[in-house]
Amino acid sequence: MPRSIWKGAISFGLITIPIKVYGATETKDLSFRQVHPEDGGRIKYKRVCEVCGKEIPYTEIAKGYETGDGRLVILDSEDFENLPLASSKAVEVVQFVKTDDIDPTYFERTYFLEADGPGAKPYVLLRRALAEEGKAAVVKVALRSRESLALIRAKDDLLLMHTMLWPDELRDGEFAAPGDDIKVSDAEVQMARMFIDQLSGEFDPSQFTDSYREALEAVVQAKLAGQPVPTESDEAPKEAEVVDLVAALRASVEAAKKRREEAAKAG
């Protein structure tokens, strides 16, 4: 069982729900070390002070904040632990919203919330109320040395908490939008909708795998076994020049239909 990363309480009106917070996700990737290719020796880095030239142990390193005019403020662990934040000990519900009203761009990380001690009954109460109303709770919480907006929602038997970015942390993507002079016809939209319909279905994440990680693992295993490293064709894919969008989409729809039929026969 994983260890909780935070303990506190959800403030739900006059009701307090003691909780423990657990990370809900983990990154699956191959871990690499920096090495000297001639002898396989690991590359190590020293933490050296630029003023005195001494190597500084990690436990003696503090965090410094440099102001715009070059002044340096040094903060220690107690400064972070004793911040005057109500959200450092409690998660206060400040608003209830429809989950669909939140732009997914805001979501950062996901956590499991577990009822702690006498928090089981009010936990179930909040979970059921959110599920029946189809809403989620907007809260503020301090995790990992920073305060975040977060969204608490019901999923099956659990309450999940999604930390969110602050509005000023989202970049303006207007620069990436095509100009207003780009137009598409109704026929092109209709064919695009047909293609979308052919590939529509219930989302099943178990049907997808990390091909990049699998390919890396295959290369590692081949090297361990002294076998030739598997490779793909060196020929780069050719960029197709799309002249007739309707014709291209019609061909895409037919290809999608064929793949579905073949998959149905195989199943």
Side-chain angles (χ1 to χ4, degrees), residues 4-44:
S4 64
I5 63 169
W6 190 86
K7 290 181 66 175
I10 300 174
S11 177
F12 175 37
L14 297 178
I15 298 174
T16 299
I17 311 174
I19 57 166
K20 293 180 181 179
V21 177
Y22 300 84
T25 61
E26 59 180 335
T27 301
K28 297 280 188 173
D29 203 353
L30 297 186
S31 178
F32 295 97
R33 298 183 183 276
Q34 291 185 316
V35 298
H36 185 199
E38 292 185 7
D39 53 23
R42 297 179 183 177
I43 305 300
K44 296 184 177 181

Side-chain angles (χ1 to χ4, degrees), residues 99 124-136 152-159:
T99 307
V124 172
L125 172 63
L126 178 59
R127 185 197 68 203
R128 180 174 171 180
L130 289 176
E132 292 184 0
E133 285 292 313
K135 293 188 176 181
I152 295 177
R153 68 181 181 92
K155 183 179 184 296
D156 301 327
D157 294 333
L158 288 174
L159 285 175

Side-chain angles (χ1 to χ4, degrees), residues 145-218:
S145 301
R146 60 170 294 186
E147 185 179 60
S148 298
L149 275 177
L151 195 74
I152 295 177
R153 68 181 181 92
K155 183 179 184 296
D156 301 327
D157 294 333
L158 288 174
L159 285 175
L160 298 184
M161 182 172 70
H162 306 280
T163 53
M164 299 192 295
L165 299 170
W166 295 102
D168 61 358
E169 293 180 310
L170 268 61
R171 294 174 176 169
D172 184 356
E174 188 63 29
F175 71 91
D180 294 336
D181 58 325
I182 305 298
K183 307 294 182 182
V184 294
S185 68
D186 291 343
E188 290 167 341
V189 173
Q190 180 61 27
M191 289 304 301
R193 292 176 62 182
M194 290 179 64
F195 179 65
I196 291 172
D197 183 64
Q198 283 297 318
L199 293 184
S200 294
E202 294 292 331
F203 177 59
D204 181 2
S206 65
Q207 298 299 311
F208 303 93
T209 58
D210 185 348
S211 300
Y212 181 80
R213 177 157 52 98
E214 291 174 351
L216 274 178
E217 289 174 344

